[in-house]
Amino acid sequence: MAIGTPLSTPSKVAGRPTRVRAPRPVSSAVCQISTRRDVEARAPGGRRLRCAGARTTRVSITDRRSDRIRVHSASIPIGGASSSDADPTTEDDVGTPAPKGDDGSGDATLTDIAPEPKSKFLRSIGVTNGILGVSQDRVEMVARQALPVMGGMASQNVLNLADSAMVGRLGTACVAAVGISSTLNFQCQAALQGISSGVQAMSARRIGEGKSSVAAVPLNAALMLCLLFGIPMALWAYTNAPMLVTRLTSDPAVIDQAIPYLQARLAAVPAVGINFAFRGFWNAAQQPSIYMNTLLVMHAVNIGLSLSLIFGVPALGVPAMGVVGAGIGTSVSVWVGSALYLRMGFTRARGMGFACCVPSANDFKVLLRQAAPTSGTNLLFATGMAAMYWIVGRLGTAETAAVNVLINLMLTLVLPCMGMGLAAGALSGRALGRGDVEDATQWPWDVAKLTAALMFGVGLIAVLIPEVLLKIFLTNEDAIRVATWPLRFTGITVAGDALSLTMQNALLGVGDAARVAMVSIGTQWLLFLPVAYVGVTKWGFDLNWMWGLYVGQRVLQAVIYAAMWKDGKWRKIKL
């Protein structure tokens, strides 16, 4: 389709004159930019100009002839011929006014017609011409998709660290109790969290296929499954909390604090599943800011309520509840988040089928097929973390408290990587939905470069000043001492974690959940846990050796996920 071609001059394609029909009235003309990744604009002499990364955009040419279509890296003026003026032998031909080079020769490149960066944030930090070979337009697309998610996850990290700092004032036994109970709680929630990747993969694919009116149907199915499985699991775990805690520790002081905290957290298990399902949907729908804003409200509720319940507010008659107060505050905030997500679903996703389109049996089948590997992986990962606490418990209570803080600090470093990975998965999923395999292939590599650059500086802080960070959360000198080098190991390997989480979430975003599960389960259960157990019980490993094995396992996962993405088998997956 030619846009902006002068009507009075016949154009030529491959040396043949083309027929120019009489133009239609401007008010009725409608033009459409091709969905192909490389839109080819016709320049004088038949030469084509490639504009990478174009989106499908329908534009009605009405009274405003000066309007422009922005095609990522090119800004194309609208005006002139209608769709009937195009050469019938040419497909996806978007004509632009002949872009001229600096010398006026007409040999223009994307650099000559590229718009100024649209992101004020990127411009404020000096990013105006791409990063590490990733073009500016793609950097901005990743930023728009990932920054809200990263902001939400960063706020989650702040909340986790705030909880650790508050509980840390209560003593080492309380810190160890929260670590053990949080792992058991995660184990109960893990199966429900896997639904998020299934919802994101299916909804992103529907949107890419142009079926936005049913994009929320996978979300409807996921919410039903969360209630169906979440409530019975929470009730069973609540009843059996004493048995679960005593399997991981024999310290009476830790047991006394861990059981009530775990029971308080289990009250929010169904809500966690609901929130993860919504997170997957908002990412797929390119509305990640809803996720971030909801998390900010949740965190405000959590910090205020937990602080009041942990230490008490005598003026209001609120007693000091200690560790259990932190658990109650967290559970209430999770349910507040679910209420906000449901409200936003009714106001923002109704037109996409939310709460009005009943999922079919096939919808449930595809969702379960996508979610089952991730849910199983999460469950086994959580069980593996519980096993790690059991192994570390053989080293002592100080080491157990240290591991709890190390995990929270590690999440602070790598959860932003997960936000970038979720962006890569959503962008690749939508590209596959519109049939652009080349674009889908490239997104995770571009995102991985950006994530590694981001994490290098963050990891350097952990390497240089580990004691300063640890003293914020631990008061026991022995616990600080045993955690110092493990924290340095985490900082050194954070770039590997960046690659691992980016590729892992990209594979999940295109539906390759089964192979991701095999890698995650295999490296944890067949490599890390057996070696760690034998090392601690037979070879005299301390926490330095054990944590070194743990971060080494995560780097190995990064290498395997990258190889899986490169082999391209995910391209054949149908959703």
Side-chain angles (χ1 to χ4, degrees):
M1 167 175 54
I3 299 178
T5 304
L7 298 182
S8 60
T9 304
S11 61
K12 292 185 178 182
V13 178
R16 293 184 290 105
T18 60
R19 292 177 297 175
V20 179
R21 301 178 183 178
R24 295 180 181 178
V26 170
S27 60
S28 64
V30 176
C31 63
Q32 179 169 339
I33 298 301
S34 171
T35 59
R36 290 170 51 185
R37 180 171 182 263
D38 293 332
V39 176
E40 295 177 335
R42 180 73 63 186
R47 183 176 56 80
R48 291 181 181 273
L49 176 66
R50 286 190 173 273
C51 302
R55 292 182 184 171
T56 300
T57 309
R58 291 187 62 83
V59 181
S60 178
I61 306 176
T62 53
D63 299 332
R64 298 180 60 185
R65 297 286 297 249
S66 61
D67 290 348
R68 301 170 73 86
I69 302 175
R70 186 172 299 279
V71 187
H72 298 303
S73 57
S75 184
I76 303 176
I78 301 174
S82 70
S83 58
S84 62
D85 302 318
D87 178 6
T89 64
T90 306
E91 296 181 359
D92 297 327
D93 183 12
V94 181
T96 67
K100 300 292 184 182
D102 294 336
D103 58 356
S105 64
D107 293 328
T109 65
L110 284 179
T111 304
D112 300 318
I113 62 175
E116 289 296 317
K118 294 177 288 184
S119 171
K120 292 181 179 179
F121 172 76
L122 292 176
R123 191 181 305 177
S124 69
I125 61 176
V127 179
T128 59
N129 196 31
I131 302 175
L132 296 176
V134 182
S135 63
Q136 182 68 24
D137 61 304
R138 293 175 77 82
V139 172
E140 293 193 1
M141 287 187 69
V142 173
R144 286 194 298 270
Q145 179 75 28
L147 286 179
V149 180
M150 292 174 66
M153 290 187 167
S155 67
Q156 180 66 56
N157 293 339
V158 171
L159 174 64
N160 291 338
L161 295 176
D163 281 349
S164 296
M166 288 186 289
V167 173
R169 306 306 98 180
L170 302 177
T172 303
C174 291
V175 176
V178 169
I180 290 172
S181 297
S182 297
T183 300
L184 291 171
N185 181 59
F186 174 50
Q187 193 174 3
C188 191
Q189 300 169 357
L192 298 180
Q193 292 180 8
I195 289 178
S196 176
S197 62
V199 172
Q200 177 172 321
M202 293 176 66
S203 294
R205 189 70 63 91
R206 298 294 171 268
I207 292 171
E209 292 168 346
K211 301 176 182 177
S212 297
S213 61
V214 294
V217 173
L219 174 62
N220 297 338
L223 297 180
M224 296 179 190
L225 294 175
C226 287
L227 295 176
L228 180 64
F229 293 108
I231 295 175
M233 283 194 300
L235 291 174
W236 180 88
Y238 185 94
T239 304
N240 292 278
M243 177 267 294
L244 296 173
V245 170
T246 53
R247 289 193 173 206
L248 297 184
T249 181
S250 58
D251 188 326
V254 175
I255 292 172
D256 288 343
Q257 299 293 333
I259 292 174
Y261 178 82
L262 174 59
Q263 290 175 328
R265 292 291 304 274
L266 289 170
V269 166
V272 169
I274 292 171
N275 293 356
F276 269 82
F278 271 106
R279 188 189 77 176
F281 173 74
W282 296 129
N283 284 336
Q286 281 191 298
Q287 299 185 58
S289 60
I290 295 177
Y291 166 71
M292 182 186 71
N293 294 336
T294 303
L295 275 184
L296 293 177
V297 175
M298 290 170 58
H299 299 339
V301 172
N302 192 352
I303 292 176
L305 190 57
S306 295
L307 189 63
S308 300
L309 295 178
I310 290 172
F311 301 106
V313 184
L316 300 177
V318 178
M321 303 177 68
V323 170
V324 69
I328 294 173
T330 300
S331 290
V332 171
S333 70
V334 173
W335 279 109
V336 168
S338 296
L340 292 175
Y341 278 134
L342 288 168
R343 178 178 177 274
M344 293 305 296
F346 282 109
T347 58
R348 301 284 290 272
R350 193 74 170 177
M352 304 176 84
F354 176 72
C356 60
C357 293
V358 179
S360 66
N362 187 62
D363 291 323
F364 282 105
K365 179 181 177 181
V366 175
L367 179 61
L368 288 172
R369 188 174 69 237
Q370 285 299 310
T374 305
S375 295
T377 300
N378 287 347
L379 180 59
L380 286 170
F381 174 76
T383 305
M385 293 298 290
M388 185 175 76
Y389 270 101
W390 175 69
I391 296 170
V392 171
R394 293 172 171 265
L395 298 174
T397 300
E399 284 80 0
T400 304
V403 165
N404 179 51
V405 173
L406 286 169
I407 289 174
N408 282 327
L409 288 172
M410 183 188 70
L411 291 176
T412 301
L413 296 177
V414 304
L415 277 185
C417 304
M418 185 176 292
M420 296 289 277
L422 290 170
L427 291 166
S428 293
R430 285 195 293 271
L432 273 186
R434 63 178 182 265
D436 194 341
V437 177
E438 180 185 354
D439 196 35
T441 302
Q442 187 59 35
W443 274 120
W445 298 115
D446 289 347
V447 173
K449 294 176 186 177
L450 301 177
T451 310
L454 174 67
M455 288 296 103
F456 176 78
V458 178
L460 196 60
I461 297 174
V463 173
L464 297 177
I465 54 170
E467 295 92 346
V468 174
L469 298 176
L470 291 169
K471 286 180 179 178
I472 300 174
F473 312 103
L474 293 169
T475 57
N476 185 287
E477 291 297 328
D478 288 337
I480 293 172
R481 176 181 53 80
V482 299
T484 298
W485 272 104
L487 183 55
R488 283 197 173 105
F489 295 157
T490 301
I492 292 169
T493 58
V494 70
D497 259 330
L499 177 62
S500 176
L501 289 170
T502 299
M503 292 301 174
Q504 179 188 35
N505 282 282
L507 289 164
L508 293 174
V510 297
D512 199 358
R515 291 201 300 164
V516 170
M518 291 174 59
V519 173
S520 179
I521 294 169
T523 54
Q524 184 185 37
W525 284 91
L526 301 181
L527 179 62
F528 167 64
L529 288 175
V531 176
Y533 175 76
V534 174
V536 169
T537 59
K538 304 294 185 183
W539 300 336
F541 279 7
D542 59 7
L543 188 59
N544 291 339
W545 279 97
M546 184 171 175
W547 197 258
L549 286 171
Y550 179 66
V551 296
Q553 166 224 336
R554 295 176 69 89
V555 172
L556 176 61
Q557 287 179 349
V559 174
I560 297 174
Y561 288 142
M564 288 167 56
W565 187 261
K566 189 175 181 180
D567 69 25
K569 293 181 180 179
W570 48 271
R571 299 174 184 173
K572 302 177 182 178
I573 297 173
K574 303 295 183 182
L575 294 177

